[in-house]
Amino acid sequence: MNSKLNKSDYIVLIIFYSVSTILNIIDYNNSDNALIEYIVDIPTTIITSFIVIIIFMYILIPKYLIQKKYVAFIVIALVVLTCFGAISDTLGFWSGGNSFDKFPKWDRVILNGIYTSANDVGLLLGILFTKKFYEGRNEIINIEKQQKENELKLLRSQIDPHFLFNNLNTLDALIDSNAAKAKEYVNRLSSIYRYLIKTKDVEVMELFEEIQLAENYIFLIKTRFENDYNFNIETTTDISNKFIPTGAIQALLENVVKHNKPQNDQAIRTTILIEDNVLKVTNTKSAIISKNESFGTGLKNLKARYKLLSDKAIIIINTDKEYSISIPIINLIEDN
């Protein structure tokens, strides 16, 4: 569960505090409380309860409750409730014009503090927890639905008739002009299909295998388009025990070819840079405007897969002359 407060959570807080403030004013008015009690008690209740909510949602729940550190969670929660409840009670005691000679003993202060905080934040925490639960549930349902759609699209892309048709045309031309290259072309194409079949049910693959797939795919592109596209793979780190979503590099290379056409004999230059925690694909852009300027469905699918695999986001930088997309590298050993 993501316990961090979002925009709608803050709207809930505003509504809750607005309603509770109005009710408190009515109650104070019926009890003929002094003006200083309005000025002190109501803001104190809002501030202390809000701080407790923040501590619970950003510290206690993610770091202790979700991590199953139940004893620590209970102890720290009681301390937090006691401290802020005691602050609220003390200020309320003072605003009520009471003499501190009659201030309760420490054991009563603790009990009253817990009771006050629980009373101030109990309902609000319950509302937020319920809201977060249903938001998380809906998110899981949407992700599972998207994942099924991704799997179908991935299977369809593996038998894309246009991909096969274009490669068969290229192969047909090579057979008459360059038999040796035609043989290598067949070997590379068959390697790609073997890889696609082998990984059709695998969500992530080792980076070095994905690079091998990319090298085969680049060979097909270079053979088909000759000097229209230039590719360079640069590695600045050890790629062992590192993973990315299956077919991710191929999808990014397809995007380069699909959305960028060379102009005035200027090749589209593409660099695949592999760093410690990120794989970055950067390509130059021509002045020819594609009808499919955005990455579209392919990027949405890749984002959805990353949402299942990692909490790191895809980063896109799109300028007039260059397009860059960075995808996180997944280290399964560290994650486990």
Side-chain angles (χ1 to χ4, degrees):
M1 181 181 76
N2 181 10
S3 61
K4 293 182 178 180
L5 300 178
N6 53 40
K7 183 178 180 180
S8 61
D9 294 328
Y10 284 107
I11 293 175
V12 170
L13 289 173
I14 292 172
I15 295 173
F16 182 89
Y17 285 131
S18 298
V19 173
S20 64
T21 298
I22 294 172
L23 294 177
N24 282 331
I25 291 174
I26 295 174
D27 181 62
Y28 276 38
N29 183 62
N30 292 335
S31 302
D32 294 325
N33 291 72
L35 179 60
I36 190 172
E37 293 181 86
Y38 288 81
I39 297 174
V40 174
D41 294 358
I42 294 176
T44 298
T45 299
I46 293 174
I47 294 171
T48 55
S49 63
F50 179 75
I51 294 174
V52 171
I53 291 292
I54 294 297
I55 292 174
F56 266 82
M57 303 303 285
Y58 283 86
I59 299 176
L60 295 182
I61 294 174
K63 293 187 177 181
Y64 295 95
L65 185 60
I66 294 179
Q67 299 297 328
K68 298 181 179 180
K69 299 176 181 178
Y70 300 121
V71 175
F73 172 79
I74 293 172
V75 171
I76 299 175
L78 289 175
V79 171
V80 171
L81 292 174
T82 300
C83 291
F84 286 93
I87 292 173
S88 183
D89 286 343
T90 301
L91 291 174
F93 187 88
W94 171 78
S95 67
N98 300 295
S99 172
F100 278 93
D101 294 335
K102 299 179 180 180
F103 194 76
K105 295 182 180 180
W106 66 269
D107 56 339
R108 179 54 59 181
V109 171
I110 292 175
L111 292 176
N112 288 345
I114 294 174
Y115 174 80
T116 299
S117 285
N119 184 60
D120 290 342
V121 304
L123 177 59
L124 188 50
L125 276 176
I127 293 173
L128 291 174
F129 284 168
T130 303
K131 181 175 178 293
K132 290 294 185 182
F133 171 79
Y134 282 102
E135 284 179 349
R137 184 179 178 184
N138 290 334
E139 184 177 8
I140 290 173
I141 292 173
N142 291 333
I143 289 176
E144 289 177 347
K145 181 179 178 181
Q146 183 65 52
Q147 179 66 7
K148 292 298 181 182
E149 294 176 357
N150 290 341
E151 291 173 358
L152 291 175
K153 290 173 182 177
L154 182 60
L155 289 174
R156 284 198 295 268
S157 69
Q158 290 172 356
I159 54 174
D160 185 350
H162 293 288
F163 176 74
L164 183 60
F165 177 78
N166 290 332
N167 282 290
L168 288 177
N169 279 342
T170 303
L171 182 60
D172 180 60
L174 284 175
I175 290 174
D176 294 330
S177 61
N178 192 333
K181 195 167 187 178
K183 183 177 180 179
E184 184 179 1
Y185 196 92
V186 170
N187 289 334
R188 300 266 191 165
L189 184 60
S190 63
S191 294
I192 290 176
Y193 272 93
R194 278 197 302 270
Y195 183 83
L196 294 176
I197 293 172
K198 181 182 72 172
T199 61
K200 68 182 181 67
D201 296 319
V202 180
E203 192 58 43
V204 296
M205 283 297 295
E206 289 192 62
L207 183 54
F208 80 89
E209 292 200 47
E210 281 289 299
I211 292 174
Q212 290 179 346
L213 171 66
E215 290 173 343
N216 288 329
Y217 189 73
I218 288 171
F219 178 85
L220 300 187
I221 295 174
K222 292 286 291 180
T223 303
R224 179 182 173 194
F225 295 102
E226 296 182 343
N227 296 322
D228 288 348
Y229 298 90
N230 289 330
F231 298 91
N232 183 37
I233 300 177
E234 299 179 4
T235 303
T236 63
T237 184
D238 180 15
I239 62 174
S240 59
N241 297 320
K242 294 184 178 180
F243 299 77
I244 60 173
T246 306
I249 302 180
Q250 180 187 357
L252 298 180
L253 294 178
E254 286 176 351
N255 183 62
V256 172
V257 176
K258 181 179 180 181
H259 296 294
N260 299 280
K261 305 302 178 186
Q263 185 181 32
N264 300 326
D265 296 326
Q266 294 293 320
I268 301 298
R269 300 187 305 276
T270 302
T271 300
I272 303 172
L273 177 61
I274 303 168
E275 298 178 323
D276 191 34
N277 295 311
V278 68
L279 185 148
K280 182 177 180 181
V281 177
T282 304
N283 63 268
T284 57
K285 296 168 62 177
S286 68
I288 300 176
I289 300 177
S290 171
K291 294 182 179 180
N292 300 310
E293 183 66 18
S294 67
F295 193 72
T297 304
L299 179 56
K300 291 180 181 178
N301 291 344
L302 199 55
K303 283 183 176 179
R305 294 172 69 186
Y306 265 105
K307 198 167 188 178
L308 291 170
L309 299 169
S310 173
D311 58 354
K312 298 177 182 177
I314 293 173
I315 299 175
I316 296 176
I317 299 176
N318 190 7
T319 65
D320 292 338
K321 296 183 178 181
E322 193 173 80
Y323 185 94
S324 171
I325 178 167
S326 300
I327 61 174
I329 292 175
I330 302 169
N331 193 323
L332 296 184
I333 292 180
E334 287 184 359
D335 289 345
N336 291 333

